[in-house]
Amino acid sequence: MKLSLLCIGKLSADWLQQGTADFGRRVNRYLPLRIDELKEVKLGKKGDSRKIIEQEGEQLLARVPQGAYTVALDEKGTLFSSEELANLLNRHMLDGTPEITFVIGGPYGLSRAVKEKANLKMALSPMTLTHQMARLILLEQIYRGMTILRNEPYHNR
């Protein structure tokens, strides 16, 4: 099984770039991982955040791989414990799912179309996170999930 992340925007802070690169390498030890950063639509002087969400949503939907199980990160989505995320990954590996694609929107979130097309809407926390921090936290949790499945000591339980 392969993993992919579709993300709006580039990471701006060095520590986010470093952390994401580190956990991306760690995840890659278990499953092939691809991260695609799509261009963030700028608000501009007369910008309308709803139009931005729709434009970014069209970009994201165009890049979802055919046949991928799609997980949209959404603050109103289902909360998973680390063990539950590990079980989700394990179930898809055992079922032969070719790819899981995690979709992270921009600063204004995801369009309704992206959420409707997703197989699952998942929240990382009941708190609001920046879209950039969500990427880092997601990768750390995927890595943690893989170590849980392998009974490796990272999870400390």
Side-chain angles (χ1 to χ4, degrees):
M1 183 175 78
K2 298 185 289 187
L3 297 176
S4 59
L5 269 64
L6 290 177
C7 311
I8 295 293
K10 295 188 178 295
L11 297 173
S12 57
D14 288 344
W15 63 272
L16 284 168
Q17 293 169 6
Q18 292 165 358
T20 299
D22 178 42
F23 281 106
R25 282 189 296 274
R26 293 181 191 206
V27 168
N28 246 324
R29 291 184 211 150
Y30 302 98
L31 295 168
L33 171 69
R34 186 183 77 250
I35 300 175
D36 290 334
E37 293 178 332
L38 306 178
K39 189 169 178 59
E40 188 175 322
V41 178
K42 298 297 180 189
L43 191 56
K45 291 180 182 178
K46 296 182 182 179
D48 179 354
S49 61
R50 289 172 298 174
K51 286 184 181 180
I52 289 174
I53 291 170
E54 295 306 316
Q55 288 175 9
E56 290 176 345
E58 290 170 12
Q59 288 182 60
L60 289 165
L61 288 172
R63 297 289 292 273
V64 173
Q66 189 73 17
Y69 182 86
T70 306
V71 180
L73 269 63
D74 181 61
E75 62 188 3
K76 294 182 178 94
T78 304
L79 286 168
F80 284 81
S81 68
S82 297
E83 291 87 356
E84 290 168 334
L85 179 59
N87 289 333
L88 174 78
L89 294 169
N90 191 48
R91 187 180 79 231
H92 283 283
M93 287 188 290
L94 293 174
D95 288 348
T97 301
E99 185 166 354
I100 296 179
T101 299
F102 293 90
V103 182
I104 302 173
Y108 304 107
L110 290 171
S111 70
R112 180 179 296 166
V114 171
K115 293 177 193 179
E116 288 173 356
K117 292 246 179 183
N119 300 99
L120 173 68
K121 288 176 273 315
M122 182 175 86
L124 294 175
S125 170
M127 296 183 283
T128 302
L129 303 171
T130 68
H131 65 291
Q132 294 187 10
M133 289 185 69
R135 189 184 321 184
L136 175 60
I137 292 167
L138 175 63
L139 285 172
E140 189 279 334
Q141 285 299 299
I142 292 171
Y143 172 69
R144 183 177 296 274
M146 295 309 297
T147 64
I148 290 169
L149 294 177
R150 300 279 175 100
N151 291 318
E152 295 174 356
Y154 180 80
H155 185 57
N156 294 323
R157 281 205 189 156

